[in-house]
Amino acid sequence: MPNDVFISINASALHAKSKVYIGRALVRKAADDLDEYQLWASLALELLGKAALASTHPSLVVDPTHWQSLFVAAGINATTDVKTITAKTLFERLAHLVPRFDKTIQKFCQEIAERRNAELHSADLPFKAMRLEAWEARYWHACDTVLHHMDSSLESWLGAVDAEAPRQLLEEAEKAMKAAVELRVGAAKERFGELKKAERDRAAEEAEQRLLQHQSELFVGRYDEIWSTACPACGCRAFMTGQLTGEDFSEEQDEHAIWEVVDREYSGEEFHCPSCDLSLLGSGEIIASGLNCIHEEQHSREMEYEPDYGND
């Protein structure tokens, strides 16, 4: 990875600027200017996300259709007018790079970016219509998720004193979510328990016979993989789906085989149990229910090219 790239796509520079902008955001919040608080906060989030991508490689931040920018990302000074990706592309890429940056967080980040654009480029006043409690906790959750991936924290990003309020807000939101999920699981368990034993047995048997490839209609979004897991409410076979977050060649590889084995890791983003109708959305809710949102599988696939055996 190039160590010296143009400042606009330099990971350290992007991270430093995000710290300046979130500092401005907190100053505006202290002055009770909540519109400008959300404006600076949205800008800080986008810069933080770009810093996360650039820390993996600067090419992830530039517009792939602008070849001069790609050259700069490779460390070649082809232009000073570097074109970077849109907020929509940024959050889509973060969803593939950061395991806990699920579709729920991605959707929230896209929405705050769209409000920011409307605030700056139209006569609309979208920030004024947003109550603080409708976005602030989710905002800090998104930032915390990105920072965790960067081996950082809110405390480091904001400074220990400034981070106290967001951290407390996050803890309160996490407690509220966990309590809500526990109540939802308990209600599903109670509903299932009220069924007659024959009905419970039939539901469990039907769940065992369901084919994974036919369960996509259970879920709201489209994902890379579906797998089965035990329901935390009724104990029946249930289903989870999520995005591919990593792939590596298996150690069980046969050097003479024409098939290769890869270990794949997925991060769960939706859960549904057809037996008791329990649904969980986002990795936060899945973890709060006691389920593991990380799933690992081995896949076999034919090699693109057969081994070169020589001509002797």
Side-chain angles (χ1 to χ4, degrees), residues 68-195:
Q68 296 93 334
S69 299
L70 285 170
F71 270 54
V72 174
I76 303 169
N77 294 325
T79 181
T80 57
D81 183 24
V82 178
K83 308 294 185 185
T84 60
I85 55 177
T86 64
K88 182 176 184 294
T89 302
L90 164 66
F91 299 130
E92 286 173 347
R93 291 184 178 183
L94 284 176
H96 289 283
L97 179 70
V98 182
R100 295 287 176 83
F101 196 94
D102 57 29
K103 286 188 179 293
T104 303
I105 300 176
Q106 181 186 343
K107 183 174 183 290
F108 164 76
C109 292
Q110 182 61 34
E111 287 171 351
I112 196 173
E114 289 171 355
R115 290 198 298 274
R116 190 263 322 283
N117 290 340
E119 181 80 20
L120 294 175
H121 305 299
S122 76
D124 292 340
L125 299 172
F127 287 160
K128 192 171 289 294
M130 286 296 296
R131 294 176 292 106
L132 192 64
E133 57 270 23
W135 69 272
E136 190 180 36
R138 291 191 293 164
Y139 174 83
W140 292 120
H141 176 54
C143 292
D144 191 53
T145 302
V146 176
L147 287 162
H148 181 76
H149 174 75
M150 299 171 70
D151 294 325
S152 186
S153 64
L154 284 173
E155 288 79 2
S156 175
W157 192 46
L158 302 175
V161 176
D162 289 335
E164 288 180 3
R167 178 61 66 188
Q168 183 178 358
L169 192 64
L170 268 180
E171 291 173 355
E172 290 172 358
E174 186 176 351
K175 288 178 183 177
M177 180 185 66
K178 187 173 182 180
V181 169
E182 287 176 352
L183 287 173
R184 197 185 313 164
V185 172
K189 183 176 183 179
E190 185 176 347
R191 286 195 306 270
F192 190 76
E194 289 174 352
L195 298 175

Side-chain angles (χ1 to χ4, degrees), residues 188-256:
K189 183 176 183 179
E190 185 176 347
R191 286 195 306 270
F192 190 76
E194 289 174 352
L195 298 175
K196 295 179 179 178
K197 185 177 184 304
E199 293 176 311
R200 297 198 302 271
D201 291 343
R202 183 168 60 252
E205 184 178 347
E206 289 174 353
E208 290 295 332
Q209 294 175 353
R210 285 175 174 259
L211 299 177
L212 288 175
Q213 61 267 33
H214 295 161
Q215 305 312 308
S216 58
E217 72 277 2
L218 294 173
F219 304 101
V220 177
R222 299 180 63 182
Y223 300 94
D224 294 330
E225 189 65 272
I226 297 174
W227 58 93
S228 61
T229 187
C231 176
C234 66
C236 294
R237 181 170 175 259
F239 303 92
M240 195 181 300
T241 188
Q243 301 284 5
L244 177 68
T245 58
E247 180 178 282
D248 200 3
F249 287 109
S250 172
E251 294 181 358
E252 300 176 9
Q253 202 74 31
D254 183 347
E255 62 179 351
H256 299 298

